[in-house]
Amino acid sequence: GGAAEGTEGDRFALKALTLGTAAVLAVNVVPYIGEPLIVNTMALARAKGEFFQRAGVWRLEFLARYTPNKMVELGVVDVLAEVAGETEDTETLGLCVGALERLAGAGGAAGRAAVGAHCVRLVELERALQAREGWVGRAASLARTCGCEPRLPPSSPEKA
C-alpha cells in the first residue's frame, strides 16, 4: 500500500503545480499573447453552433480582464453584439453582457463608444434577459454608461 499512497500525493502535487502555473501564465502572459489568440477566439464565438459560440464568448469575457484595449481595437465589441443578436441561449447572452460591461469599463472612452454604438442591441439584450434572475437592468445600465439612453418598453407599469 505504501507505493500507492506516494503516487496519490505526487498526483496532488502535480495538479497543484499545474494549476498554479496556469494561474501565473494567465496573469503574466495573456496580455502579451495578443492578437492571434483574440482573433481566433472571435472566430470561435462567430462559429455556428451554440456550444462553440458559448465557448468563444466565455473566452472573450475571460480575456477582457487582461487586454480590454487591444480587444476593443480588434472589434470584439462588434462580435459580441453580433452573437448576442443571433443566440437564443440566455447563458451566452449573460456572458455577452458581462464581456461588454468589462470592455466598456476597462476599455476607456473607445470601449464605451464601441459598446454605445450598439444601443439597439443593448435594448434587445435587456429584453431577452428580463426573465433571468440577477440580470434585470444590467444591459440598460450598461447602455447609460456608454451614453445611449435606450427607450425600454415598460415591463410592468406599477413598478416605477
Side-chain angles (χ1 to χ4, degrees):
E5 285 162 23
T7 56
E8 193 74 18
D10 292 346
R11 246 187 242 130
F12 176 76
L14 184 63
K15 271 185 188 165
L17 187 67
T18 305
L19 287 172
T21 305
V24 169
L25 281 174
V27 174
N28 296 311
V29 179
V30 168
Y32 305 105
I33 293 173
E35 283 182 42
L37 178 65
I38 296 168
V39 170
N40 289 336
T41 309
M42 285 161 70
L44 181 64
R46 276 192 164 129
K48 292 292 166 237
E50 219 141 78
F51 174 79
F52 295 113
Q53 281 190 338
R54 188 183 307 157
V57 172
W58 182 87
R59 287 178 187 156
L60 289 173
E61 200 267 342
F62 174 80
L63 291 170
R65 300 166 202 205
Y66 303 103
T67 57
N69 297 332
K70 170 77 74 189
M71 292 178 79
V72 169
E73 234 173 81
L74 291 172
V76 169
V77 170
D78 297 336
V79 173
L80 289 166
E82 180 186 310
V83 171
E86 288 172 2
T87 187
E88 300 287 307
D89 181 54
T90 53
E91 197 177 321
T92 303
L93 288 174
L95 287 168
C96 286
V97 172
L100 290 169
E101 284 172 339
R102 240 177 240 291
L103 293 173
R112 284 190 299 280
V115 175
H118 294 283
C119 214
V120 175
R121 186 54 41 83
L122 291 171
V123 174
E124 289 167 7
L125 270 168
E126 182 61 42
R127 262 188 228 135
L129 289 167
Q130 286 281 316
R132 186 104 190 260
E133 190 67 38
W135 286 95
V136 177
R138 279 188 55 180
S141 86
L142 177 60
R144 283 191 296 278
T145 302
C146 297
C148 68
E149 283 293 331
R151 285 176 299 288
L152 287 173
S155 48
S156 49
E158 64 274 351
K159 282 186 211 159

